[in-house]
Amino acid sequence: MGSKKRKAAEEVVANGARKLDDEEAEEVEVDNEAVIEASAVLSSFNSHFGYSMSKTEAESLEQLSRKERRYGWPLPAFGKSTLKWVGTEEWPLEASEDFSATRGIKSKLLKHWLDIMKTSEASDFDSSGHGSFLSLCNTYQNILHQNKKPFYVKGSHEDSSIMDAYIMHSLNHVLKTRDVITKNDAKLAKHQGSATEDILSNERYLDHSFTRPKVLILLPLASIAFRVIRRLIQLTPPNQKVNVEHMDRFSNEFGAGIVEEEEEKTSSLQKCNDSNSKSSKPSDFRALFDGNNNDHFMMGIKFTRKSIRLYSDFYSSDMIIASPLGLITKIGEAEDDKEKDVDYLSSIEILVIDHADVMAMQNWSHVKSVVEKMNQMPTKQHGTDVMRIKQWYLDGLSKYYRQTIVLGFYLTPDMNALFNHQCFSYQGKVKLDCEYKGVLHKILLQVRQIYERFDAESILVVDDARFKYFTDKVFPKIRDTVQGGIMIFMSSYLEFVRIRNFLKSQDASFCLLGE
């Protein structure tokens, strides 16, 4: 599907059509329809959301999501010989032309970003790799990046270009969406008498969705949200952030650290050896949790022509930044109270899941439940102009237009399953293929590994069967042994709670390590 549009773009270029920037095409009146079409085809925003998908194509994508997709078209990752990007679709032209891929970004937005880059360490845009990931985002393909260097890992320089790229992509998407609607509003206002006929006869005026929010960014902790939102404000062009509303409230609620009830204790031995009191927690733990470690938050952000409004109502917001727990709480409230709803998730077109590795240590089932709730038919109208809703929204195909970007320090089976089975963008999928040297050859002490099989009647009762096997067969051995230092690992939070409650009921002596 994507290759047809790319071939059309190549033909236009071959015929000598002039390439127009999107803003230039919107601001300048052009009589040549071929030039306007060329501009639309060469814009990933216009080509992606202007494509009319058939239900047959949607069914075929649904079937593909149940099968193992083949990845090909390798593309080297920036500056890493052991990493390469692989995709399900042939690489579009812009993905292989690092800096030129930014032509889809609004000129004022791009210029402001480049000005910021000049004053930072990564002064050379091309050599710093800042445009590389942005070019992938601009394809509107689903992206799985499982080697993102986080700020909390000791000795690892944070890959801030990834955060910059998805923020720039999200900003560009929101501003372009607003531009299209504003432009059409102005045209329809000039012809009020024939406005209804124009809407019904011309698909260009179908520019609305069910609700306003277009971007959802899921983050695990308020301290990380604080970093992302501050950078979002910084990357917004100055003329569009003359006023940032509720900045003091934001700094107080997201920037303030939560003091633990019990201060960390240090041993007398450490005090003797070192006059400075050292924390018993490792450096990566302190880097991640020293800030505001609240994992229950939600914020709507609205962009107007001259201001950024933090804490805006969700239905009037352009972006929603939230934790999985914050959203799952709202979903639960809507299920219990018919007066409440989460229809603001119905029209999300870009979903970013950042620091997925941290979410995996919280409760990944929340992430899965949130994604399942997205792009569904709303329960109410919410003041939307029904006559201007895009057809593919009305056909229930919006999830095939949603781009999902999953970012983490490492990959887990749950992340992989979500990416394979719950990300449907018709543009295809891209993921980072990593080569690991491995560490098994470095193990000096050979450890015997024993695997035990348990029976389950079906996959539906496998969790209960595993728990029963542990309580009946494994725990008695642990209880009766004289050997200490036994660690029990649980792969999910629900399993963790279940085992914890069982051990408490048995008066077992144990300590807990979670998140």
Side-chain angles (χ1 to χ4, degrees), residues 214-232:
K214 292 292 175 291
V215 177
L216 171 64
I217 301 178
L218 286 181
L219 301 168
L221 300 171
S223 58
I224 296 177
F226 186 65
R227 294 161 59 93
V228 171
I229 295 172
R230 279 200 309 175
R231 189 61 172 171
L232 173 70

mmCIF file of all heavy atoms in Angstrom, residues 214-232:
data_model
loop_
_atom_site.group_PDB
_atom_site.id
_atom_site.type_symbol
_atom_site.label_atom_id
_atom_site.label_comp_id
_atom_site.label_asym_id
_atom_site.label_seq_id
_atom_site.Cartn_x
_atom_site.Cartn_y
_atom_site.Cartn_z
ATOM 1 N N LYS A 214 -4.847 14.117 19.727
ATOM 2 C CA LYS A 214 -4.252 13.350 18.624
ATOM 3 C C LYS A 214 -2.998 12.586 19.051
ATOM 4 O O LYS A 214 -2.576 11.651 18.381
ATOM 5 C CB LYS A 214 -3.870 14.291 17.470
ATOM 6 C CG LYS A 214 -5.056 14.907 16.765
ATOM 7 C CD LYS A 214 -5.836 13.848 16.008
ATOM 8 C CE LYS A 214 -7.092 14.436 15.400
ATOM 9 N NZ LYS A 214 -8.086 14.806 16.413
ATOM 10 N N VAL A 215 -2.377 13.002 20.156
ATOM 11 C CA VAL A 215 -1.120 12.383 20.597
ATOM 12 C C VAL A 215 -1.268 11.953 22.053
ATOM 13 O O VAL A 215 -1.736 12.724 22.898
ATOM 14 C CB VAL A 215 0.065 13.363 20.462
ATOM 15 C CG1 VAL A 215 1.351 12.730 20.991
ATOM 16 C CG2 VAL A 215 0.251 13.793 19.011
ATOM 17 N N LEU A 216 -0.881 10.713 22.332
ATOM 18 C CA LEU A 216 -0.828 10.206 23.705
ATOM 19 C C LEU A 216 0.592 9.740 23.984
ATOM 20 O O LEU A 216 1.131 8.916 23.250
ATOM 21 C CB LEU A 216 -1.814 9.058 23.905
ATOM 22 C CG LEU A 216 -1.714 8.301 25.242
ATOM 23 C CD1 LEU A 216 -2.046 9.230 26.411
ATOM 24 C CD2 LEU A 216 -2.625 7.073 25.262
ATOM 25 N N ILE A 217 1.195 10.288 25.034
ATOM 26 C CA ILE A 217 2.548 9.872 25.441
ATOM 27 C C ILE A 217 2.433 9.206 26.804
ATOM 28 O O ILE A 217 2.045 9.845 27.787
ATOM 29 C CB ILE A 217 3.518 11.071 25.500
ATOM 30 C CG1 ILE A 217 3.606 11.751 24.129
ATOM 31 C CG2 ILE A 217 4.902 10.616 25.951
ATOM 32 C CD1 ILE A 217 4.506 12.981 24.107
ATOM 33 N N LEU A 218 2.752 7.921 26.865
ATOM 34 C CA LEU A 218 2.715 7.174 28.115
ATOM 35 C C LEU A 218 4.106 7.176 28.740
ATOM 36 O O LEU A 218 5.092 6.809 28.087
ATOM 37 C CB LEU A 218 2.264 5.726 27.870
ATOM 38 C CG LEU A 218 0.781 5.482 27.565
ATOM 39 C CD1 LEU A 218 0.528 3.996 27.374
ATOM 40 C CD2 LEU A 218 -0.110 6.031 28.667
ATOM 41 N N LEU A 219 4.184 7.571 30.010
ATOM 42 C CA LEU A 219 5.441 7.638 30.743
ATOM 43 C C LEU A 219 5.239 7.015 32.125
ATOM 44 O O LEU A 219 4.148 7.108 32.695
ATOM 45 C CB LEU A 219 5.904 9.090 30.885
ATOM 46 C CG LEU A 219 6.124 9.855 29.565
ATOM 47 C CD1 LEU A 219 6.293 11.334 29.841
ATOM 48 C CD2 LEU A 219 7.336 9.304 28.818
ATOM 49 N N PRO A 220 6.266 6.390 32.690
ATOM 50 C CA PRO A 220 6.063 5.641 33.935
ATOM 51 C C PRO A 220 6.028 6.482 35.206
ATOM 52 O O PRO A 220 5.346 6.133 36.163
ATOM 53 C CB PRO A 220 7.256 4.683 33.962
ATOM 54 C CG PRO A 220 8.328 5.380 33.187
ATOM 55 C CD PRO A 220 7.609 6.177 32.124
ATOM 56 N N LEU A 221 6.780 7.612 35.258
ATOM 57 C CA LEU A 221 6.919 8.386 36.485
ATOM 58 C C LEU A 221 6.734 9.877 36.212
ATOM 59 O O LEU A 221 7.039 10.360 35.112
ATOM 60 C CB LEU A 221 8.292 8.158 37.118
ATOM 61 C CG LEU A 221 8.635 6.715 37.524
ATOM 62 C CD1 LEU A 221 10.093 6.616 37.913
ATOM 63 C CD2 LEU A 221 7.746 6.239 38.663
ATOM 64 N N ALA A 222 6.269 10.599 37.223
ATOM 65 C CA ALA A 222 6.051 12.035 37.075
ATOM 66 C C ALA A 222 7.355 12.776 36.806
ATOM 67 O O ALA A 222 7.366 13.779 36.094
ATOM 68 C CB ALA A 222 5.382 12.588 38.334
ATOM 69 N N SER A 223 8.460 12.290 37.365
ATOM 70 C CA SER A 223 9.754 12.944 37.138
ATOM 71 C C SER A 223 10.150 12.870 35.668
ATOM 72 O O SER A 223 10.737 13.816 35.117
ATOM 73 C CB SER A 223 10.838 12.299 38.006
ATOM 74 O OG SER A 223 10.946 10.910 37.737
ATOM 75 N N ILE A 224 9.838 11.752 35.011
ATOM 76 C CA ILE A 224 10.129 11.614 33.580
ATOM 77 C C ILE A 224 9.181 12.495 32.772
ATOM 78 O O ILE A 224 9.590 13.125 31.786
ATOM 79 C CB ILE A 224 10.026 10.134 33.158
ATOM 80 C CG1 ILE A 224 11.100 9.308 33.883
ATOM 81 C CG2 ILE A 224 10.165 9.984 31.648
ATOM 82 C CD1 ILE A 224 11.044 7.823 33.604
ATOM 83 N N ALA A 225 7.924 12.558 33.191
ATOM 84 C CA ALA A 225 6.966 13.449 32.524
ATOM 85 C C ALA A 225 7.426 14.902 32.641
ATOM 86 O O ALA A 225 7.251 15.697 31.711
ATOM 87 C CB ALA A 225 5.573 13.281 33.130
ATOM 88 N N PHE A 226 8.012 15.253 33.775
ATOM 89 C CA PHE A 226 8.535 16.603 33.990
ATOM 90 C C PHE A 226 9.608 16.927 32.955
ATOM 91 O O PHE A 226 9.627 18.011 32.367
ATOM 92 C CB PHE A 226 9.100 16.692 35.411
ATOM 93 C CG PHE A 226 9.549 18.077 35.809
ATOM 94 C CD1 PHE A 226 8.636 19.112 35.928
ATOM 95 C CD2 PHE A 226 10.884 18.340 36.069
ATOM 96 C CE1 PHE A 226 9.038 20.391 36.300
ATOM 97 C CE2 PHE A 226 11.302 19.597 36.436
ATOM 98 C CZ PHE A 226 10.373 20.631 36.562
ATOM 99 N N ARG A 227 10.509 15.961 32.700
ATOM 100 C CA ARG A 227 11.576 16.149 31.708
ATOM 101 C C ARG A 227 10.985 16.312 30.307
ATOM 102 O O ARG A 227 11.395 17.187 29.531
ATOM 103 C CB ARG A 227 12.523 14.943 31.724
ATOM 104 C CG ARG A 227 13.323 14.774 32.990
ATOM 105 C CD ARG A 227 13.862 13.355 33.113
ATOM 106 N NE ARG A 227 14.719 12.994 31.991
ATOM 107 C CZ ARG A 227 16.039 13.138 31.975
ATOM 108 N NH1 ARG A 227 16.658 13.647 33.021
ATOM 109 N NH2 ARG A 227 16.744 12.773 30.933
ATOM 110 N N VAL A 228 10.021 15.455 29.957
ATOM 111 C CA VAL A 228 9.450 15.464 28.607
ATOM 112 C C VAL A 228 8.661 16.741 28.351
ATOM 113 O O VAL A 228 8.800 17.374 27.290
ATOM 114 C CB VAL A 228 8.564 14.215 28.393
ATOM 115 C CG1 VAL A 228 7.789 14.317 27.081
ATOM 116 C CG2 VAL A 228 9.412 12.947 28.398
ATOM 117 N N ILE A 229 7.829 17.151 29.312
ATOM 118 C CA ILE A 229 6.988 18.336 29.106
ATOM 119 C C ILE A 229 7.844 19.600 29.048
ATOM 120 O O ILE A 229 7.582 20.507 28.248
ATOM 121 C CB ILE A 229 5.916 18.433 30.212
ATOM 122 C CG1 ILE A 229 4.948 17.243 30.109
ATOM 123 C CG2 ILE A 229 5.136 19.749 30.102
ATOM 124 C CD1 ILE A 229 3.972 17.118 31.258
ATOM 125 N N ARG A 230 8.871 19.672 29.875
ATOM 126 C CA ARG A 230 9.771 20.835 29.813
ATOM 127 C C ARG A 230 10.454 20.921 28.449
ATOM 128 O O ARG A 230 10.603 22.006 27.874
ATOM 129 C CB ARG A 230 10.830 20.749 30.911
ATOM 130 C CG ARG A 230 10.352 21.200 32.268
ATOM 131 C CD ARG A 230 11.498 21.551 33.178
ATOM 132 N NE ARG A 230 12.505 20.489 33.247
ATOM 133 C CZ ARG A 230 13.663 20.601 33.901
ATOM 134 N NH1 ARG A 230 13.959 21.726 34.520
ATOM 135 N NH2 ARG A 230 14.513 19.593 33.924
ATOM 136 N N ARG A 231 10.877 19.772 27.917
ATOM 137 C CA ARG A 231 11.500 19.763 26.595
ATOM 138 C C ARG A 231 10.481 20.093 25.508
ATOM 139 O O ARG A 231 10.798 20.776 24.526
ATOM 140 C CB ARG A 231 12.136 18.393 26.330
ATOM 141 C CG ARG A 231 12.993 18.316 25.074
ATOM 142 C CD ARG A 231 14.154 19.279 25.127
ATOM 143 N NE ARG A 231 15.079 19.080 24.010
ATOM 144 C CZ ARG A 231 16.078 19.893 23.719
ATOM 145 N NH1 ARG A 231 16.309 20.957 24.470
ATOM 146 N NH2 ARG A 231 16.857 19.656 22.674
ATOM 147 N N LEU A 232 9.253 19.635 25.687
ATOM 148 C CA LEU A 232 8.178 19.949 24.744
ATOM 149 C C LEU A 232 7.963 21.462 24.670
ATOM 150 O O LEU A 232 7.830 22.030 23.579
ATOM 151 C CB LEU A 232 6.896 19.250 25.188
ATOM 152 C CG LEU A 232 5.602 19.568 24.424
ATOM 153 C CD1 LEU A 232 5.659 18.979 23.030
ATOM 154 C CD2 LEU A 232 4.391 19.045 25.169
#
